[in-house]
Amino acid sequence: MLTLATDLDALTRFGRALADPIRCRLLLALREAPAHPSDLADTLGISRTRLSNHLACLRDCGLVVAVPDGRRTRYELADERLGHALDDLRTAVLAVEADKTGVDAETKGCC
């Protein structure tokens, strides 16, 4: 049971990050390996300005960190456990989705 404000805050920040498909793609890309913004923008097919806004959001949420790398900056997940959490969440959602005995979200008006 979540009783501490910090627990609720952590889940809210994680949920905020996952609420946007580009941020999800960013987190999944950084789960694979740290990367420079220019490479991330190319990989995701978005402008560097748009990428910068999403990286700022993920930094504000405490999920990614900027690491100086010579004259450039490299981004990576703030903690390797976040990569495991993303994997666990993804596989759990897919497992529930595959379970036909569960509630059908589309008919219940969810998401």
Side-chain angles (χ1 to χ4, degrees):
M1 180 175 171
L2 297 176
T3 55
L4 298 174
T6 55
D7 290 341
L8 294 173
D9 180 59
L11 289 176
T12 300
R13 286 184 287 124
F14 196 60
R16 179 176 175 223
L18 295 177
D20 184 271
I22 291 176
R23 288 193 295 270
C24 287
R25 292 174 60 205
L26 266 169
L27 288 170
L28 291 172
L30 293 174
R31 179 197 67 185
E32 297 299 322
H36 296 101
S38 59
D39 298 329
L40 289 167
D42 291 343
T43 298
L44 299 178
I46 61 173
S47 70
R48 291 184 188 185
T49 301
R50 194 167 180 199
L51 176 78
S52 177
N53 291 333
H54 287 290
L55 285 172
C57 176
L58 292 174
R59 279 193 321 268
D60 290 345
C61 289
L63 301 178
V64 301
V65 293
V67 179
D69 187 18
R71 295 177 60 177
R72 301 173 71 191
T73 300
R74 182 184 71 240
Y75 283 84
E76 59 188 50
L77 294 178
D79 189 297
E80 69 180 39
R81 291 175 289 187
L82 291 169
H84 298 293
L86 288 167
D87 288 337
D88 290 344
L89 183 59
R90 182 183 50 80
T91 56
V93 169
L94 291 174
V96 169
E97 187 177 272
D99 180 8
K100 301 299 181 193
T101 63
V103 175
D104 187 353
E106 288 182 24
T107 62
K108 299 295 181 184
C110 177
C111 307

